[in-house]
Amino acid sequence: MSVVLQLERDRAYRGLLELILGGEVDLDTPLSERKLADSLEIGRTPVREALRDLARDGILEVQPARGTFVRPLTIEDVQEIYEVRHSLEGLAAFLAAERGPTPELKAYGPKFHGMIDDPQAHDPAETYETGAEFHLEIFRSARNRQLLQIYEPLRLRFRVALGLPRYYDHDRVRESVNEHLAILEAIERGDGQTAQQLICDHLSKGLEVRTRIFR
């Protein structure tokens, strides 16, 4: 594959994700390759390849004789994803504490303090996105490329399915800021066991809320 085509394919992949996460894709309507190409102002070939990549990553599913759709989650899927997240994110938090936080991870401290001091100044969508990026930065701080590569497709599938505004529990989103700050402080202290336990507790609360909302 040429470098130009790969760049276009990557751009199409990112563009499709943004459309899905932005709620601009009807989950009950098959995706149109032509309409997506027009919307992204990109050729149909990279869009076609990006659709295949998203299906490979579990974001989309191809239904014979119907078309390609955003893949829905069952309650069993949600529970299984959280089981995997416990293992992966617990390990990532432990390694981040052992190896030291990146400057980018440390930068979340002032952000979280600002959200705690003035919660009304931050809408739930902004707070949720900050938290989601914080989780990803923990994996970068773990400095384990294999761990990050395993986590990324799972993260994308979860965000596409349950990261839309209609799935927000506003009180839970704001409550999670305090939990994120406690996790960060444990990582900064180099306390891997506490960081691991805190992120697992955080995920358990998240699963409880997600299960209730999903049902």
Side-chain angles (χ1 to χ4, degrees):
M1 180 183 298
S2 71
V3 174
V4 173
L5 182 56
Q6 183 62 55
L7 290 173
E8 289 292 278
R9 181 175 176 172
D10 292 344
R11 187 162 73 89
Y13 187 101
R14 292 193 302 272
L16 288 172
L17 272 179
E18 289 175 3
L19 290 176
I20 295 169
L21 289 171
E24 299 179 45
V25 173
D26 186 347
L27 304 185
D28 299 318
T29 302
L31 298 172
S32 166
E33 185 181 295
R34 178 182 58 80
K35 290 181 180 178
L36 290 170
D38 291 344
S39 178
L40 296 172
E41 298 182 347
I42 196 170
R44 292 180 65 171
T45 297
V47 168
R48 185 181 308 119
E49 295 296 325
L51 289 172
R52 290 175 183 168
D53 290 343
L54 287 164
R56 176 204 64 203
D57 290 341
I59 308 301
L60 305 178
E61 66 175 1
V62 179
Q63 299 181 12
R66 292 197 64 207
T68 301
F69 297 80
V70 175
R71 183 179 177 185
L73 286 185
T74 65
I75 189 63
E76 289 79 14
D77 289 330
V78 174
Q79 291 168 342
E80 289 175 0
I81 284 174
Y82 265 95
E83 287 175 356
V84 176
R85 289 186 69 189
H86 268 78
S87 296
L88 296 181
E89 298 196 35
L91 176 58
F94 181 86
L95 291 176
E98 291 289 302
R99 297 170 180 175
T102 61
E104 291 79 9
L105 186 62
K106 288 183 177 181
Y108 281 90
K111 294 179 184 178
F112 293 149
H113 280 292
M115 291 175 177
I116 293 169
D117 293 341
D118 190 3
Q120 300 306 318
H122 305 275
D123 65 67
E126 176 191 358
T127 303
Y128 176 88
E129 287 299 322
T130 300
E133 292 303 316
F134 170 69
H135 280 255
L136 180 58
E137 194 58 48
I138 290 175
F139 277 83
R140 296 190 179 117
S141 283
R143 298 173 179 84
N144 185 311
R145 290 175 296 174
Q146 301 301 320
L147 189 62
L148 179 59
Q149 288 174 5
I150 293 170
Y151 175 69
E152 185 66 17
L154 183 75
R155 170 181 177 265
L156 290 176
R157 188 177 175 206
F158 180 82
R159 289 194 66 205
V160 166
L162 290 176
L164 300 175
R166 66 175 177 274
Y167 290 117
Y168 292 161
D169 180 314
H170 292 187
D171 291 337
R172 173 60 194 156
V173 169
R174 293 194 171 97
E175 180 185 82
S176 69
V177 177
N178 291 283
E179 296 167 14
H180 287 151
L181 181 60
I183 294 165
L184 176 59
E185 289 173 346
I187 291 174
E188 290 180 327
R189 292 195 307 271
D191 188 345
Q193 290 187 338
T194 298
Q196 186 174 34
Q197 185 60 56
L198 287 173
I199 203 165
C200 287
D201 292 345
H202 167 70
L203 290 171
S204 293
K205 292 178 183 177
L207 174 58
E208 181 181 344
V209 172
R210 292 294 190 183
T211 301
R212 174 171 52 80
I213 292 175
F214 193 86
R215 284 175 172 159

